[in-house]
């Protein structure tokens, strides 16, 4: 994920390298980037809308168990002809019927199970949204660290370019004085050309990583300069053994909550389909008023009020109920297997991020020592050139090794921070709390 361009040539050059052109007046820290992403990212906003829509299933299922009141009204123009023998008599009149019907469910097992299922679906919708939030958090933090690393690469590649230009100028002066060779100039020019190409590649990488982050936060991304490049002794530690991390993750991770909610919804579906042959009982109250019901007395009106209990019992439905039960049981089995698969996948993921965090800290410490050694090598090589025991080629190689050591060190720090962020949030730690701690650690400023 992180670019492989040449990193800074040394920690001593940091103050010079940070002076990038066109730095805006206000920087964006990691917490601000996350807040913008959560507010502006279309994918997350779509997930939030989907969750809101899914939660309405519970209100609809609840409404099916509440009283249902309806009003009906009909007006008819009746044209009737009565024939008695050879005599036909026409009748014309108007009829009107108005009714008020109230139906209250007393017992409907499928609807009761539908309510339980809708509640499970609401929990699944909340878990879906939490999962989308974690995905967005990892994506936005990853893009943010890529921008930081790309800008580190650009800044220190410029320092390396400046150093190479100085060596080329020195080689030219030595040649003019008769103290150097044409080979020294040619080698310095070749190294300068390579440094210019690397600086151009680093500049392109900065533009690309900014576009990545901007696609998530929907906001112009300024230069992000980390004033504190955290050393190994300041980096956070995991603080718990891996079984505890796994236990916390399996209890709180949205993937597990989602899988459990889907199993509960599938079990409710089995119960709902199994009750397909159970009777339903409703309380029914009705008031009707009619006028003009017959041609003998078209001006008469009637009012009828009824209150009763209605029983419906499906005895046979052509085998549809049994088939629906078998289908629901198969879906339940699928959900249970997916729950177990989620449990295993998350356990592996926790182990991976735990390893990335613990071993990542050791890697940072090792690369810090490598950086110190590379810095010392540059110093020793410069002294060796003055003493006549080292060549210009040795200095170029030392500068190159110094740049690679700096690149690897910065990359390992950002990879550690991302792994730490994922591990903490997977286990249920508030993302805002983790981001604020990392933002304070990086101290990103304009």
């Amino acid at each position: 994920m992180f670019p492989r361009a040449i990193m800074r040539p040394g920690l001593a050059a940091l103050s010079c390298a940070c002076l990038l052109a066109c730095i805006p007046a206000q920087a964006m820290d990691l917490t601000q980037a996350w807040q913008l992403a959560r507010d502006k990212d279309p994918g997350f906003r779509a997930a939030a809308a989907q969750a809101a829509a899914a939660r309405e299933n519970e209100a609809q299922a609840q409404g099916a168990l509440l009283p249902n009141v309806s009003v009906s009204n009909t007006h008819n123009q009746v044209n009737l002809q009565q024939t008695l023998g050879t005599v036909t008599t026409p009748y014309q009149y108007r009829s009107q019927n108005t009714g008020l019907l109230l139906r209250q469910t007393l017992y409907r097992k499928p609807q009761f199970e539908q309510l339980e299922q809708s509640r499970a679906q609401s929990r699944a919708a909340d878990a879906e949204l939490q999962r989308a939030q974690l995905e967005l958090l990892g994506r936005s933090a990853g893009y943010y660290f890529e921008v930081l690393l790309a800008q580190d690469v650009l800044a220190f590649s410029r320092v390396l370019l400046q150093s190479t230009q100085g060596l080329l100028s020195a080689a030219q002066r030595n040649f003019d004085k008769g103290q150097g060779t044409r080979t020294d100039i040619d080698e310095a020019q070749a190294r300068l050309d390579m440094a210019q190409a690397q600086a151009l590649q680093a500049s392109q990488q900065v533009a690309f990583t900014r576009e990545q982050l901007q696609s998530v936060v929907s906001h112009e991304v300024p230069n992000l300069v980390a004033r504190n490049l955290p050393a190994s002794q300041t980096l956070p530690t995991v603080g718990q053994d891996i079984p505890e991390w796994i236990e916390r993750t399996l209890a709180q991770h949205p993937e597990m909550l989602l899988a459990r909610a889907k199993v509960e919804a599938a079990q409710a579906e089995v119960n709902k389909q199994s009750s397909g042959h159970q009777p339903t009982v409703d309380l029914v109250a009705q008031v009707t008023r009619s006028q003009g019901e017959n041609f003998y007395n078209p001006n008469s009106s009637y009012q009828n009020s009824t209150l009763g209990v209605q029983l419906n019992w499906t005895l046979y439905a052509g085998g549809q109920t049994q088939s629906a039960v078998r289908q629901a049981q198969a879906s339940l089995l699928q959900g249970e297997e997916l729950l177990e698969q989620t449990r295993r996948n998350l356990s592996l993921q926790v182990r991976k991020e735990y390893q990335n965090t613990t071993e990542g800290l050791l890697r940072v410490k090792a690369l810090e020592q490598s950086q110190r050694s590379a810095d010392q090598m540059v110093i020793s090589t410069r002294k060796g050139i003055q003493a006549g025991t080292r060549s210009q080629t040795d200095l170029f190689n030392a500068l190159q090794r110094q740049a690679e050591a700096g690149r690897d060190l910065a990359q390992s720090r950002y990879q550690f921070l991302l792994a730490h962020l994922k591990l903490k949030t997977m286990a249920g730690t508030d993302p805002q709390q983790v981001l604020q701690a990392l933002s304070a650690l990086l101290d990103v400023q304009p």
Side-chain angles (χ1 to χ4, degrees):
M1 179 181 294
F2 293 97
R4 289 290 181 181
I6 300 300
M7 273 300 296
R8 61 181 181 277
L11 296 176
L14 178 61
S15 59
C16 297
C18 291
L19 298 178
L20 300 176
C22 302
I23 297 181
Q26 184 176 3
M28 177 191 299
D29 65 18
L30 187 56
T31 303
Q32 293 169 336
W34 158 239
Q35 291 172 344
L36 287 171
R38 191 172 52 183
D39 293 338
K40 300 296 185 180
D41 182 67
F44 180 72
R45 295 175 66 179
Q50 181 180 6
R55 293 189 197 100
E56 295 300 323
N57 290 330
E58 183 176 354
Q60 295 172 16
Q62 183 70 43
L65 296 174
L66 297 178
N68 186 300
V69 181
S70 61
V71 176
S72 63
N73 184 268
T74 60
H75 292 264
N76 296 309
Q77 175 66 41
V78 181
N79 296 318
L80 177 66
Q81 289 185 338
Q82 180 185 35
T83 301
L84 295 176
T86 59
V87 179
T88 300
T89 306
Y91 294 94
Q92 293 184 348
Y93 61 93
R94 294 181 179 180
S95 67
Q96 177 180 347
N97 289 275
T98 303
L100 176 65
L101 175 66
L102 181 144
R103 181 181 296 273
Q104 170 62 57
T105 297
L106 299 180
Y107 179 79
R108 285 179 179 260
K109 185 65 180 299
Q111 289 184 350
F112 297 153
E113 294 298 335
Q114 179 65 41
L115 178 59
E116 293 301 319
Q117 185 179 44
S118 66
R119 289 170 177 167
Q121 290 170 342
S122 294
R123 292 191 293 272
D126 293 336
E128 285 270 18
L129 185 58
Q130 294 176 26
R131 181 176 66 174
Q133 178 173 268
L134 277 188
E135 187 275 333
L136 178 62
L137 176 64
R139 186 156 46 96
S140 57
Y143 288 165
Y144 187 88
F145 290 141
E146 286 186 19
V147 173
L148 284 179
L149 181 56
Q151 291 191 162
D152 282 348
V153 170
L154 175 60
F156 292 108
S157 65
R158 288 175 176 173
V159 173
L160 181 59
L161 178 62
Q162 184 178 2
S163 299
T164 308
Q165 288 172 336
L167 291 176
L168 176 59
S169 298
Q172 184 66 52
R173 288 193 300 270
N174 291 336
F175 180 77
D176 294 340
K177 295 177 182 179
Q179 299 175 355
T181 64
R182 184 67 192 180
T183 302
D184 293 336
I185 297 177
D186 292 341
E187 182 177 8
Q189 183 63 55
R191 299 281 185 158
L192 178 61
D193 294 339
M194 180 181 297
Q196 288 174 336
Q198 291 169 348
L200 177 60
Q201 180 183 2
S203 178
Q204 294 172 341
Q205 186 66 19
V206 168
F208 174 72
T209 55
R210 283 184 180 177
E211 289 177 0
Q212 277 190 142
L213 182 57
Q214 185 170 332
S215 68
V216 176
V217 302
S218 301
H219 189 277
E220 182 179 356
V221 178
N223 282 358
L224 308 177
V225 181
R227 299 296 186 184
N228 280 340
L229 293 178
S232 58
Q233 59 267 27
T234 64
L235 292 176
T237 57
V238 291
Q240 291 177 316
D241 294 332
I242 192 168
E244 297 178 9
W245 285 106
I246 293 178
E247 181 180 359
R248 286 178 55 190
T249 300
L250 295 183
Q252 303 182 59
H253 196 277
E255 289 282 0
M256 286 298 297
L257 299 179
L258 175 60
R260 292 191 188 102
K262 287 185 175 180
V263 169
E264 293 170 0
Q267 182 61 64
E269 180 67 17
V270 171
N271 298 338
K272 181 175 67 174
Q273 298 299 336
S274 299
S275 60
H277 282 309
Q278 292 193 18
T280 63
V281 182
D282 296 334
L283 174 67
V284 180
Q286 185 174 17
V287 178
T288 60
R289 180 180 178 83
S290 60
Q291 185 174 358
E293 283 291 321
N294 57 77
F295 65 90
Y296 293 110
N297 193 2
N299 295 323
S300 61
S301 62
Y302 304 90
Q303 181 169 320
N304 184 26
S305 300
T306 60
L307 176 63
V309 176
Q310 187 178 78
L311 172 68
N312 290 298
W313 197 339
T314 301
L315 300 179
Y316 180 68
Q320 295 182 20
T321 300
Q322 290 82 355
S323 175
V325 170
R326 293 192 298 269
Q327 184 182 48
Q329 289 173 339
S331 297
L332 174 60
L333 179 60
Q334 178 191 26
E336 291 172 342
E337 295 299 332
L338 290 177
L339 174 61
E340 177 60 27
Q341 183 183 36
T342 301
R343 180 181 291 107
R344 296 181 184 183
N345 290 343
L346 281 177
S347 298
L348 290 176
Q349 190 173 349
V350 170
R351 293 181 183 276
K352 174 185 175 182
E353 299 302 340
Y354 184 88
Q355 184 176 357
N356 289 340
T357 305
T358 54
E359 296 184 3
L361 184 58
L362 297 177
R363 176 175 170 80
V364 170
K365 292 180 180 179
L367 289 174
E368 285 176 343
Q369 180 59 45
S370 176
Q371 177 73 76
R372 289 190 289 268
S373 299
D375 292 342
Q376 184 60 44
M377 177 60 70
V378 172
I379 296 174
S380 299
T381 303
R382 291 186 186 276
K383 292 180 179 180
I385 291 177
Q386 294 175 357
T389 59
R390 288 290 186 270
S391 66
Q392 185 176 357
T393 300
D394 294 329
L395 180 56
F396 281 128
N397 292 336
L399 289 172
Q400 184 73 20
R401 180 67 194 99
Q402 186 185 49
E404 292 173 354
R407 174 203 64 196
D408 294 342
L409 175 58
Q411 182 177 359
S412 67
R413 284 169 173 162
Y414 294 130
Q415 287 177 335
F416 170 85
L417 294 177
L418 186 59
H420 175 77
L421 171 68
K422 290 182 178 180
L423 182 64
K424 295 279 286 185
T425 54
M426 284 174 59
T429 305
D430 182 16
Q432 192 77 8
Q433 177 183 346
V434 181
L435 292 174
Q436 287 176 352
L438 294 184
S439 296
L441 187 65
L442 289 171
D443 189 21
V444 175
Q445 299 179 6

PDB file of all heavy atoms in Angstrom, residues 371-381 383 402:
ATOM      1  N   GLN A 371      19.050   3.283  10.850  1.00  0.00           N
ATOM      2  CA  GLN A 371      19.146   4.684  10.455  1.00  0.00           C
ATOM      3  C   GLN A 371      20.373   5.341  11.084  1.00  0.00           C
ATOM      4  O   GLN A 371      21.120   6.067  10.417  1.00  0.00           O
ATOM      5  CB  GLN A 371      17.879   5.417  10.877  1.00  0.00           C
ATOM      6  CG  GLN A 371      17.889   6.909  10.593  1.00  0.00           C
ATOM      7  CD  GLN A 371      17.729   7.212   9.105  1.00  0.00           C
ATOM      8  OE1 GLN A 371      16.644   7.112   8.573  1.00  0.00           O
ATOM      9  NE2 GLN A 371      18.812   7.567   8.443  1.00  0.00           N
ATOM     10  N   ARG A 372      20.602   5.060  12.362  1.00  0.00           N
ATOM     11  CA  ARG A 372      21.775   5.635  13.018  1.00  0.00           C
ATOM     12  C   ARG A 372      23.070   5.135  12.377  1.00  0.00           C
ATOM     13  O   ARG A 372      24.029   5.905  12.199  1.00  0.00           O
ATOM     14  CB  ARG A 372      21.743   5.296  14.516  1.00  0.00           C
ATOM     15  CG  ARG A 372      20.665   6.051  15.292  1.00  0.00           C
ATOM     16  CD  ARG A 372      20.838   5.862  16.791  1.00  0.00           C
ATOM     17  NE  ARG A 372      20.505   4.516  17.198  1.00  0.00           N
ATOM     18  CZ  ARG A 372      19.296   4.125  17.606  1.00  0.00           C
ATOM     19  NH1 ARG A 372      18.299   4.999  17.635  1.00  0.00           N
ATOM     20  NH2 ARG A 372      19.079   2.880  17.971  1.00  0.00           N
ATOM     21  N   SER A 373      23.077   3.870  12.028  1.00  0.00           N
ATOM     22  CA  SER A 373      24.272   3.318  11.382  1.00  0.00           C
ATOM     23  C   SER A 373      24.496   3.949  10.017  1.00  0.00           C
ATOM     24  O   SER A 373      25.635   4.246   9.633  1.00  0.00           O
ATOM     25  CB  SER A 373      24.131   1.800  11.250  1.00  0.00           C
ATOM     26  OG  SER A 373      24.008   1.182  12.523  1.00  0.00           O
ATOM     27  N   ALA A 374      23.409   4.142   9.262  1.00  0.00           N
ATOM     28  CA  ALA A 374      23.535   4.752   7.939  1.00  0.00           C
ATOM     29  C   ALA A 374      24.006   6.199   8.049  1.00  0.00           C
ATOM     30  O   ALA A 374      24.827   6.663   7.240  1.00  0.00           O
ATOM     31  CB  ALA A 374      22.201   4.678   7.207  1.00  0.00           C
ATOM     32  N   ASP A 375      23.492   6.923   9.048  1.00  0.00           N
ATOM     33  CA  ASP A 375      23.943   8.305   9.245  1.00  0.00           C
ATOM     34  C   ASP A 375      25.438   8.344   9.574  1.00  0.00           C
ATOM     35  O   ASP A 375      26.184   9.185   9.067  1.00  0.00           O
ATOM     36  CB  ASP A 375      23.139   8.958  10.380  1.00  0.00           C
ATOM     37  CG  ASP A 375      21.684   9.181  10.008  1.00  0.00           C
ATOM     38  OD1 ASP A 375      21.382   9.152   8.795  1.00  0.00           O
ATOM     39  OD2 ASP A 375      20.865   9.387  10.916  1.00  0.00           O
ATOM     40  N   GLN A 376      25.852   7.421  10.436  1.00  0.00           N
ATOM     41  CA  GLN A 376      27.265   7.379  10.801  1.00  0.00           C
ATOM     42  C   GLN A 376      28.135   6.983   9.617  1.00  0.00           C
ATOM     43  O   GLN A 376      29.259   7.485   9.465  1.00  0.00           O
ATOM     44  CB  GLN A 376      27.462   6.392  11.961  1.00  0.00           C
ATOM     45  CG  GLN A 376      28.883   6.340  12.486  1.00  0.00           C
ATOM     46  CD  GLN A 376      29.356   7.681  13.017  1.00  0.00           C
ATOM     47  OE1 GLN A 376      28.633   8.368  13.732  1.00  0.00           O
ATOM     48  NE2 GLN A 376      30.591   8.066  12.663  1.00  0.00           N
ATOM     49  N   MET A 377      27.621   6.111   8.773  1.00  0.00           N
ATOM     50  CA  MET A 377      28.368   5.704   7.586  1.00  0.00           C
ATOM     51  C   MET A 377      28.624   6.887   6.672  1.00  0.00           C
ATOM     52  O   MET A 377      29.715   7.024   6.088  1.00  0.00           O
ATOM     53  CB  MET A 377      27.604   4.607   6.841  1.00  0.00           C
ATOM     54  CG  MET A 377      28.270   4.169   5.539  1.00  0.00           C
ATOM     55  SD  MET A 377      29.947   3.512   5.784  1.00  0.00           S
ATOM     56  CE  MET A 377      29.571   1.973   6.613  1.00  0.00           C
ATOM     57  N   VAL A 378      27.646   7.773   6.498  1.00  0.00           N
ATOM     58  CA  VAL A 378      27.839   8.960   5.667  1.00  0.00           C
ATOM     59  C   VAL A 378      28.936   9.841   6.260  1.00  0.00           C
ATOM     60  O   VAL A 378      29.820  10.339   5.546  1.00  0.00           O
ATOM     61  CB  VAL A 378      26.512   9.734   5.528  1.00  0.00           C
ATOM     62  CG1 VAL A 378      26.752  11.078   4.837  1.00  0.00           C
ATOM     63  CG2 VAL A 378      25.500   8.918   4.740  1.00  0.00           C
ATOM     64  N   ILE A 379      28.891  10.026   7.578  1.00  0.00           N
ATOM     65  CA  ILE A 379      29.902  10.855   8.236  1.00  0.00           C
ATOM     66  C   ILE A 379      31.293  10.239   8.067  1.00  0.00           C
ATOM     67  O   ILE A 379      32.275  10.922   7.723  1.00  0.00           O
ATOM     68  CB  ILE A 379      29.556  11.022   9.727  1.00  0.00           C
ATOM     69  CG1 ILE A 379      28.236  11.785   9.884  1.00  0.00           C
ATOM     70  CG2 ILE A 379      30.677  11.756  10.461  1.00  0.00           C
ATOM     71  CD1 ILE A 379      27.742  11.869  11.319  1.00  0.00           C
ATOM     72  N   SER A 380      31.368   8.923   8.284  1.00  0.00           N
ATOM     73  CA  SER A 380      32.661   8.245   8.182  1.00  0.00           C
ATOM     74  C   SER A 380      33.181   8.271   6.750  1.00  0.00           C
ATOM     75  O   SER A 380      34.399   8.413   6.525  1.00  0.00           O
ATOM     76  CB  SER A 380      32.529   6.801   8.667  1.00  0.00           C
ATOM     77  OG  SER A 380      32.119   6.761  10.020  1.00  0.00           O
ATOM     78  N   THR A 381      32.283   8.123   5.782  1.00  0.00           N
ATOM     79  CA  THR A 381      32.713   8.131   4.380  1.00  0.00           C
ATOM     80  C   THR A 381      33.249   9.501   3.984  1.00  0.00           C
ATOM     81  O   THR A 381      34.245   9.606   3.251  1.00  0.00           O
ATOM     82  CB  THR A 381      31.543   7.724   3.476  1.00  0.00           C
ATOM     83  OG1 THR A 381      31.060   6.442   3.875  1.00  0.00           O
ATOM     84  CG2 THR A 381      31.992   7.645   2.019  1.00  0.00           C
ATOM     85  N   LYS A 383      34.707  11.638   5.961  1.00  0.00           N
ATOM     86  CA  LYS A 383      36.035  11.732   6.557  1.00  0.00           C
ATOM     87  C   LYS A 383      37.039  10.875   5.797  1.00  0.00           C
ATOM     88  O   LYS A 383      38.213  11.253   5.630  1.00  0.00           O
ATOM     89  CB  LYS A 383      35.979  11.305   8.019  1.00  0.00           C
ATOM     90  CG  LYS A 383      35.192  12.261   8.910  1.00  0.00           C
ATOM     91  CD  LYS A 383      35.184  11.784  10.347  1.00  0.00           C
ATOM     92  CE  LYS A 383      34.414  12.754  11.243  1.00  0.00           C
ATOM     93  NZ  LYS A 383      34.389  12.303  12.663  1.00  0.00           N
ATOM     94  N   GLN A 402      21.570   5.531   3.228  1.00  0.00           N
ATOM     95  CA  GLN A 402      20.958   6.380   4.242  1.00  0.00           C
ATOM     96  C   GLN A 402      19.508   6.692   3.870  1.00  0.00           C
ATOM     97  O   GLN A 402      18.612   6.669   4.723  1.00  0.00           O
ATOM     98  CB  GLN A 402      21.768   7.667   4.378  1.00  0.00           C
ATOM     99  CG  GLN A 402      21.297   8.569   5.509  1.00  0.00           C
ATOM    100  CD  GLN A 402      22.056   9.878   5.509  1.00  0.00           C
ATOM    101  OE1 GLN A 402      22.173  10.528   4.473  1.00  0.00           O
ATOM    102  NE2 GLN A 402      22.571  10.265   6.667  1.00  0.00           N
TER     103      GLN A 402
END
